[in-house]
Amino acid sequence: MSWFESFILGLVQGLTEFLPISSSAHLRLTAAFAGWHDPGAAFTAITQIGTETAVLIYFRKDIARIVSAWFRSLTDKAMRGDHDAQMGWLVIVGSVPIGVLGVTLKDQIEGPFRDLRLIATTLIVMGVVLGFADRLAARDEAGGRHRVVKERKTLKDLSVRDGLIYGLCQAMALIPGVSRSGATISGGLLMGYTREAAARYSFLLAIPAVLASGLFELKDAGEGGHVSWGPTIFATVIAFGVGYAVIAWFMKFITTKSFMPFVIYRILLGILLYILVGTDVLSPHAGESGG
C-alpha cells in the first residue's frame, strides 16, 4: 500500500465511519474503483481505532461519567439504580452479539462478505430500512391533522431488551454495506427513540466492539506481518482527525434534519454498483487478490 493510497483510504474512513452509509463498504469500493488491492478487514479494523478515538474524545464527559458510575455500582448498591451505571451495563450487554458473531464469522467477514454484489444489496436494503425508520420518526415528531405528536424515547428509557436489540443491529454491520451507525440508528428509531438518542447510543455502543476488533487485528497483524504498518498508522491518524470533525457535524445535523439524503445516496450507490458489476465494468471480486 502506498502513502497516497493510505491517505485516501484514511480520509474515506474518517468521512464515512459515523455516517449511516458504511465505512467498510466505502473502503472496499474506493479500492475497487481505483484499481487498488482491497485494503482488507484488518486495515479497516485498525483504522477504526482512529475514528473510535475521536468518539472517546468527543464523548469524553459522558464516558467518564458512565465508567465512574459503573465501577462505583459494583460495590455500592445505591448506585445500581443510577442511569449512568445502568448505561455502563447496557453498553456491555449490547456488545455481546457483535463479539460472539465477530469471532464466529471471522472467515466470512474477510472473504465472501466482501463480494461487491452483496455490498450493493446491503446498501440498498438497509437504505430502505433507514428511510422507513426515519419517516416513522418524522411522523411521530410532526403529528398531523388526525394524529397528536408522539413523544419518543430518550436514553433514560433504555432497557436490557432494547440494549440487546441495539446490539443485534450493530452485529449486522459485520457485513460491509450495512453500516454500524445505520443499523443501530435504524433499530433505535424503529423502537421509538429520538434521532439524537439513537445516534448517541450507537456511538457509545461501538466503542468496546471497535476497539476490541482493532486490537485483535493488531495482534494478528503483528504475528503475521501482513499489514504495511507505516501507511496503516498514517491512515489511522487521518481517520481520527477527519472523523472528529464529522461526528461533531453529524450530531448537530440530526437534531434538525432527516436521514433521507443518506437513504437516497445509499440506494443510488447500490444501483450504480449493480450496473457496474452487471456490465462487467467491475468484477464482484475486484482487488481481492491483494488480500
Side-chain angles (χ1 to χ4, degrees), residues 134-201:
D134 186 65
R135 293 300 298 168
L136 188 65
R139 186 185 68 179
D140 288 348
E141 293 165 359
R145 179 182 296 181
H146 303 295
R147 295 190 308 272
V148 297
V149 173
K150 182 178 179 181
E151 185 174 350
R152 301 208 119 222
K153 293 189 284 187
T154 68
L155 289 185
K156 290 186 177 180
D157 301 307
L158 192 63
S159 63
V160 173
R161 168 188 165 275
D162 289 357
L164 276 173
I165 293 174
Y166 266 114
L168 289 170
C169 291
Q170 177 178 241
M172 293 170 60
L174 291 169
I175 304 173
V178 169
S179 168
R180 186 188 310 276
S181 63
T184 49
I185 289 172
S186 294
L189 294 178
L190 290 171
M191 287 189 288
Y193 287 86
T194 64
R195 290 187 178 91
E196 193 274 340
R200 185 173 290 266
Y201 186 62

Side-chain angles (χ1 to χ4, degrees), residues 14-207:
L15 286 171
T16 59
E17 172 67 16
F18 303 117
L19 305 181
I21 56 175
S22 179
S23 61
S24 57
H26 278 76
L27 288 173
R28 176 80 177 86
L29 293 176
T30 299
F33 287 144
W36 302 335
H37 291 317
D38 179 1
F43 176 87
T44 300
I46 293 170
T47 54
Q48 282 178 334
I49 293 177
T51 45
E52 215 52 40
T53 301
V55 173
L56 291 172
I57 295 175
Y58 186 85
F59 290 110
R60 61 190 179 279
K61 293 181 180 178
D62 296 40
I63 294 169
R65 197 175 62 248
I66 290 169
V67 171
S68 174
W70 182 80
F71 272 111
R72 282 183 287 151
S73 73
L74 296 177
T75 55
D76 185 354
K77 290 184 178 180
M79 283 295 299
R80 292 173 189 174
D82 181 82
H83 171 66
D84 289 324
Q86 292 175 346
M87 275 294 295
W89 285 111
L90 289 169
V91 169
I92 293 172
V93 167
S95 300
V96 171
I98 197 170
V100 173
L101 292 175
V103 173
T104 305
L105 301 175
K106 187 176 187 298
D107 291 340
Q108 286 76 15
I109 294 167
E110 295 177 348
F113 285 0
R114 301 184 76 78
D115 188 302
L116 295 182
R117 293 165 296 190
L118 178 59
I119 291 175
T121 302
T122 53
L123 281 169
I124 294 171
V125 171
M126 285 307 300
V128 172
V129 172
L130 178 61
F132 175 77
D134 186 65
R135 293 300 298 168
L136 188 65
R139 186 185 68 179
D140 288 348
E141 293 165 359
R145 179 182 296 181
H146 303 295
R147 295 190 308 272
V148 297
V149 173
K150 182 178 179 181
E151 185 174 350
R152 301 208 119 222
K153 293 189 284 187
T154 68
L155 289 185
K156 290 186 177 180
D157 301 307
L158 192 63
S159 63
V160 173
R161 168 188 165 275
D162 289 357
L164 276 173
I165 293 174
Y166 266 114
L168 289 170
C169 291
Q170 177 178 241
M172 293 170 60
L174 291 169
I175 304 173
V178 169
S179 168
R180 186 188 310 276
S181 63
T184 49
I185 289 172
S186 294
L189 294 178
L190 290 171
M191 287 189 288
Y193 287 86
T194 64
R195 290 187 178 91
E196 193 274 340
R200 185 173 290 266
Y201 186 62
S202 170
F203 294 150
L204 293 174
L205 183 61
I207 294 172

Side-chain angles (χ1 to χ4, degrees), residues 207-251:
I207 294 172
V210 172
L211 292 181
S213 174
L215 293 174
F216 182 77
E217 291 293 351
L218 276 174
K219 177 182 72 67
D220 278 7
E223 293 173 354
H226 57 274
V227 169
S228 302
W229 282 111
T232 299
I233 292 171
F234 179 55
T236 302
V237 173
I238 295 295
F240 161 74
V242 176
Y244 187 89
V246 170
I247 194 173
W249 171 82
F250 186 64
M251 291 304 294

